[in-house]
Amino acid sequence: MLYLRKRKIALKKGLMLLALFFLSVAILQIKTICFSFLPIKSSVNHAADVGIVILVCLITYKPIEQFVNYLFREFFFKKGIGFHTQLIHSTNHLVSCLDLKEFSNFLVNTLSDLLHVKYVAFLIYDQKQKEFVPGALAGFNFRETRKIRFEKDSPLINKLRESSFPVLRFDVLKRVSWPEASRFNTDFELLRAQVVIPVFYGEEVIGFITLSSKPSHLPYLPHELKLLHDFSGRISFGLENAIRFNEMKQRYEELKDFQSRLVHSNKFSAIEQLATGIAHEIHNPLTIISGKAQMLLLNRDKNFLTAKAEEDLKMIVQQTTRAAEITRKLLVFSKSSPEQKAPLSFREIIDDTFELISYQTSIDHVRIIKEISPNLPAIKGHVEEFREVFLNLILNAVQSVERDGVIKVLVDYSERDQSIEIKVEDSGCGIKKEHLSSVFDPFFTTKQNSLGLGLFVTQRVVQRNGGYITIESEAYKGTEVTILLPVPETNEKQPIFSTPVFDEKVSYQGAYIDQNQSKEE
Amino acid sequence: MLKLLVVDDEEEICDFLRIFFEERNFKVSTALSGEEALRKVEVEQPDVCLLDIKMPGLDGIQVLKEVKRRYPKIKVIMVTAIETTEKIEEAVRIGADNYITKPLSLEYLEKDVHQKISDVA
Ligand SMILES: [Mg+2]
């Protein structure tokens, strides 16, 4: 396009220079002839000659330019060879264009570039709104564009359907009755249209193009209409494709939107409400239990407490505090964290987690293996949330392994998935097959003193960060939890994972496990 | 004798707090609702009020407003089951002197009550 236009401009400029040159030569010639008739002795005065030439050029420049332009437009449009190839060339692009917006813009720009008409409108049938709406417009001001809409059965569209060929304004107006003509006239006036070109797909009008008058203000000629008709035939398949694709894209967006609203608003607030309710209802009985136990302890002399009873009472107070912590945690996780996301250091989080449970791993010899790739791409998240994730997974593992069990935590970058892969494996008791599908359900638990929220909360955190979590387990063999967290695309160019340098830290810390408690995830 | 008003919709909580503070030489009265609390405040004119936030009818925040409006000298310690920051901020803005979360640590509560009273003196 650009190339062709430039060539045209160069040609124009050349023609004008040529015209001006011949004009100047002619004038100088006339001057010489005039002087030779006069009796005055003419001295050759170059300065005067140059002055005359400049004067003539200045006076005639504008008229000559206009004339050349006029010649050009008529030539290009009439002979149609250059114009025709360009139009065909543009259809090649249009047929392969799937984006409706791009399609419309390209079409309108091409036509207004090639034909030099002031107003070009391209309207497309919108299935949802059941009317023709602008795909792209050229020349119209914003206020006008808002009014440009046509119903499916408006007279203009019916006319297009009938004729299946470009429709000329004056042709329509002279053939219909007076009141009808005034209605048509309003439509044509709204679009500033001299010619309306329908785009058919099968029997249906799926769009139309309107053009205002040619720069020469001459009427559109039959061979031009034929050309425009061919053009509309060529683009129809492309337009239909773009429309379908656009619909699909919209549906997809709607579905995605609906889904995210469903997940966020519905389930989310229900969980939040539930959590608030639980926290309130449970904290009152806990207050009473803990309060009575504390009073017994405070009056230990009056109550003749044995050492064992005193220990037990202390345990009661401690355990109520723990229970309250659980409901608080639940509440925190049911809410979206308002704090800012920060780059996550998995090594730090994992080290901290093992530190935290080291008291629990003080009897059983649990072998802990950590393999954390040193060159992970940076991803952002809420540190507290991920602490919770690792605490849940590692606690589950610790509670399921027997003496001399093995817990393995791996963090690596998976190039194939563009994700950070986290694995927590244990050699513990595993999960029974019938329980495997329920482990992520809230309040599902096989343990006596657990609320069954660990994996539920873990899953929510992972999902909130765009990842997913899977769990594989075999009873009496072990469990493997895998989390994939997507790495945002902007991070792609940052240094990722070069050589895997694993740090293997083996510790023989015993695990303190309440032997009465059922050992399952 | 120092006067204390315990307000909570759970009777058991009121009871053990009454016993606990009576053993520590307080004159304790209790109220099971916000409405009852406002009546008791007028009659008893307590030095300190322990006020549960979540109650049916008038809640702790509304009672706090009324108490602080009529008797700004009464010290009010809010008792909350869950510490939502907005609720606590609201209570502090209205004039709550402190807040404590359930389940309660009685030792901490006793210290706090004494401190609030010594603040006045
Ligand atoms: Mg309450």
Side-chain angles (χ1 to χ4, degrees):
Chain A
M1 273 302 304
L2 202 70
Y3 166 68
L4 284 166
R5 284 203 77 183
K6 272 196 177 151
R7 198 173 64 175
K8 214 164 91 181
I9 288 166
L11 210 64
K12 251 188 222 177
K13 290 262 144 62
L15 255 177
M16 282 189 57
L17 275 175
L18 221 63
L20 287 171
F21 175 74
F22 280 116
L23 199 69
S24 313
V25 170
I27 284 169
L28 287 178
Q29 213 56 46
I30 290 165
K31 189 199 110 184
T32 325
I33 292 166
C34 287
F35 274 110
S36 66
F37 282 111
L38 290 172
I40 318 155
K41 255 228 166 102
S42 74
S43 58
V44 183
N45 189 342
H46 289 294
D49 286 353
V50 172
I52 289 166
V53 168
I54 289 172
L55 200 69
V56 167
C57 285
L58 281 178
I59 292 166
T60 55
Y61 183 86
K62 266 285 151 194
I64 289 179
E65 189 188 31
Q66 271 170 11
F67 178 70
V68 168
N69 275 345
Y70 172 77
L71 266 183
F72 255 79
R73 281 176 207 145
E74 287 305 300
F75 171 77
F76 266 86
F77 209 74
K78 264 200 177 111
K79 296 290 179 233
I81 295 169
F83 170 74
H84 194 234
T85 24
Q86 287 173 59
L87 213 55
I88 298 305
H89 183 75
S90 75
T91 58
N92 290 341
H93 178 79
L94 283 170
V95 167
S96 61
C97 176
L98 273 178
D99 187 289
L100 194 58
K101 201 78 217 152
E102 194 191 320
F103 184 100
S104 312
N105 286 336
F106 185 81
L107 182 129
V108 166
N109 287 341
T110 306
L111 289 176
S112 71
D113 268 4
L114 290 177
L115 310 179
H116 301 283
V117 294
K118 203 169 166 204
Y119 298 96
V120 181
F122 177 48
L123 284 91
I124 305 161
Y125 185 63
D126 187 315
Q127 287 278 2
K128 230 193 293 172
Q129 301 179 49
K130 303 259 179 264
E131 27 175 38
F132 286 85
V133 295
L137 301 163
F140 296 88
N141 69 38
F142 182 68
R143 212 155 44 87
E144 287 170 323
T145 62
R146 284 197 302 189
K147 281 190 268 174
I148 299 177
R149 277 166 183 275
F150 288 88
E151 276 172 33
K152 199 182 175 190
D153 287 313
S154 63
L156 181 68
I157 309 297
N158 284 333
K159 195 91 210 156
L160 291 173
R161 215 172 275 136
E162 248 169 62
S163 85
S164 72
F165 196 76
V167 171
L168 285 170
R169 181 179 187 160
F170 76 90
D171 227 26
V172 173
L173 296 185
K174 95 183 159 198
R175 273 159 211 243
V176 295
S177 64
W178 166 242
E180 243 191 312
S182 106
R183 266 230 316 277
F184 273 116
N185 201 38
T186 329
D187 287 350
F188 280 115
E189 200 40 55
L190 181 66
L191 293 161
R192 310 276 165 86
Q194 285 302 322
V195 61
V196 183
I197 307 126
V199 182
F200 278 88
Y201 186 77
E203 298 289 296
E204 259 319 299
V205 181
I206 55 171
F208 61 89
I209 304 159
T210 71
L211 305 172
S212 60
S213 53
K214 292 198 280 181
S216 59
H217 293 285
L218 295 172
Y220 285 89
L221 300 170
H223 76 269
E224 291 164 357
L225 294 181
K226 176 78 178 59
L227 190 62
L228 291 168
H229 177 65
D230 287 349
F231 174 74
S232 98
R234 276 170 181 275
I235 64 164
S236 91
F237 187 64
L239 176 59
E240 175 70 13
N241 272 347
I243 290 175
R244 292 273 162 264
F245 186 73
N246 191 51
E247 256 170 43
M248 246 154 59
K249 221 167 62 181
Q250 272 178 6
R251 296 249 170 89
Y252 174 69
E253 289 300 325
E254 278 170 16
L255 211 66
K256 230 169 64 175
D257 192 48
F258 180 69
Q259 197 185 24
S260 79
R261 262 186 297 144
L262 206 70
V263 169
H264 276 264
S265 74
N266 259 343
K267 200 172 159 191
F268 203 44
S269 69
I271 288 290
E272 199 178 323
Q273 280 172 17
L274 188 67
T276 315
I278 286 173
H280 270 113
E281 291 320 308
I282 285 184
H283 283 220
N284 280 333
L286 288 178
T287 309
I288 298 165
I289 295 166
S290 162
K292 299 233 163 185
Q294 284 179 66
M295 281 176 62
L296 282 172
L297 277 170
L298 287 167
N299 298 332
R300 55 184 72 115
D301 300 336
K302 238 195 308 184
N303 291 327
F304 309 106
L305 293 182
T306 62
K308 175 82 172 79
E310 218 179 297
E311 275 311 301
D312 288 354
L313 283 171
K314 275 182 190 161
M315 180 65 89
I316 289 172
V317 175
Q318 268 173 27
Q319 292 301 311
T320 53
T321 314
R322 183 176 156 217
E325 269 319 302
I326 294 172
T327 55
R328 262 184 209 127
K329 220 177 264 175
L330 169 66
L331 194 67
V332 168
F333 275 95
S334 69
K335 286 187 172 158
S336 50
S337 317
E339 73 218 82
Q340 284 289 305
K341 288 186 174 188
L344 296 171
S345 162
F346 289 108
R347 178 179 299 276
E348 218 171 272
I349 294 170
I350 291 166
D351 286 348
D352 286 355
T353 309
F354 278 113
E355 191 74 41
L356 201 69
I357 58 158
S358 62
Y359 76 96
Q360 279 208 345
T361 54
S362 62
I363 296 171
D364 279 354
H365 284 210
V366 176
R367 193 165 162 239
I368 294 164
I369 302 170
K370 289 184 274 185
E371 290 182 4
I372 302 159
S373 162
N375 295 312
L376 296 169
I379 70 166
K380 285 186 169 182
H382 300 289
V383 179
E384 285 308 315
E385 284 186 353
F386 280 92
R387 276 182 202 284
E388 196 66 28
V389 164
F390 282 100
L391 188 64
N392 286 329
L393 297 180
I394 291 169
L395 264 181
N396 275 345
V398 168
Q399 286 171 355
S400 74
V401 293
E402 304 277 334
R403 229 184 131 76
D404 298 322
V406 181
I407 297 174
K408 202 168 168 187
V409 181
L410 301 124
V411 184
D412 201 349
Y413 176 68
S414 158
E415 196 138 26
R416 192 181 56 124
D417 299 316
Q418 294 279 300
S419 302
I420 288 183
E421 192 180 56
I422 300 161
K423 270 185 198 287
V424 178
E425 299 169 23
D426 68 61
S427 63
C429 59
I431 304 165
K432 284 186 194 145
K433 231 181 187 160
E434 64 262 34
H435 291 155
L436 209 52
S437 60
S438 317
V439 290
F440 292 116
D441 294 349
F443 305 110
F444 174 82
T445 185
T446 55
K447 294 175 214 159
Q448 273 175 4
N449 55 357
S450 158
L451 263 182
L453 288 169
L455 284 175
F456 168 70
V457 161
T458 300
Q459 189 190 35
R460 276 197 49 85
V461 171
V462 171
Q463 285 174 348
R464 231 186 268 170
N465 285 277
Y468 64 94
I469 180 168
T470 54
I471 192 159
E472 277 172 50
S473 186
E474 208 175 314
Y476 310 111
K477 287 237 171 111
T479 304
E480 181 185 312
V481 181
T482 308
I483 294 173
L484 282 176
L485 291 171
V487 176
E489 272 179 35
T490 44
N491 284 352
E492 258 179 355
K493 271 141 210 138
Q494 287 185 11
I496 37 167
F497 184 56
S498 47
T499 37
V501 187
F502 290 127
D503 127 48
E504 181 155 331
K505 195 168 150 194
V506 181
S507 59
Y508 284 96
Q509 296 168 325
Y512 169 79
I513 299 175
D514 187 348
Q515 295 297 323
N516 297 327
Q517 138 191 347
S518 147
K519 287 177 184 170
E520 286 202 41
E521 295 281 330
Chain B
M1 207 189 221
L2 293 165
K3 282 184 285 184
L4 183 76
L5 174 64
V6 178
V7 186
D8 201 305
D9 57 324
E10 291 269 344
E11 204 172 347
E12 289 289 335
I13 293 177
C14 286
D15 279 353
F16 85 76
L17 285 175
R18 184 168 48 79
I19 296 166
F20 176 77
F21 280 103
E22 275 175 356
E23 279 171 1
R24 276 145 192 85
N25 293 320
F26 279 80
K27 184 179 183 293
V28 183
S29 48
T30 59
L32 291 171
S33 71
E35 291 82 355
E36 196 187 345
L38 289 179
R39 283 199 298 275
K40 287 268 168 84
V41 165
E42 220 172 306
V43 180
E44 308 282 340
Q45 298 280 325
D47 300 291
V48 180
C49 180
L50 296 182
L51 188 51
D52 183 27
I53 288 186
K54 199 174 182 249
M55 292 183 291
L58 276 184
D59 71 7
I61 298 285
Q62 288 166 303
V63 175
L64 171 71
K65 258 185 214 163
E66 241 353 77
V67 171
K68 281 288 170 183
R69 193 176 63 83
R70 286 199 236 164
Y71 312 99
K73 276 190 183 152
I74 297 177
K75 297 287 169 188
V76 181
I77 297 169
M78 305 305 286
V79 181
T80 67
I82 39 156
E83 61 281 73
T84 56
T85 15
E86 306 96 71
K87 264 273 146 64
I88 289 165
E89 271 170 16
E90 193 187 351
V92 170
R93 209 174 42 241
I94 295 168
D97 295 277
N98 201 0
Y99 69 93
I100 183 166
T101 55
K102 291 175 180 177
L104 308 164
S105 158
L106 293 179
E107 261 175 277
Y108 175 82
L109 183 61
E110 192 192 349
K111 255 188 236 161
D112 198 57
V113 168
H114 276 297
Q115 206 205 314
K116 289 288 159 301
I117 291 162
S118 65
D119 281 355
V120 183

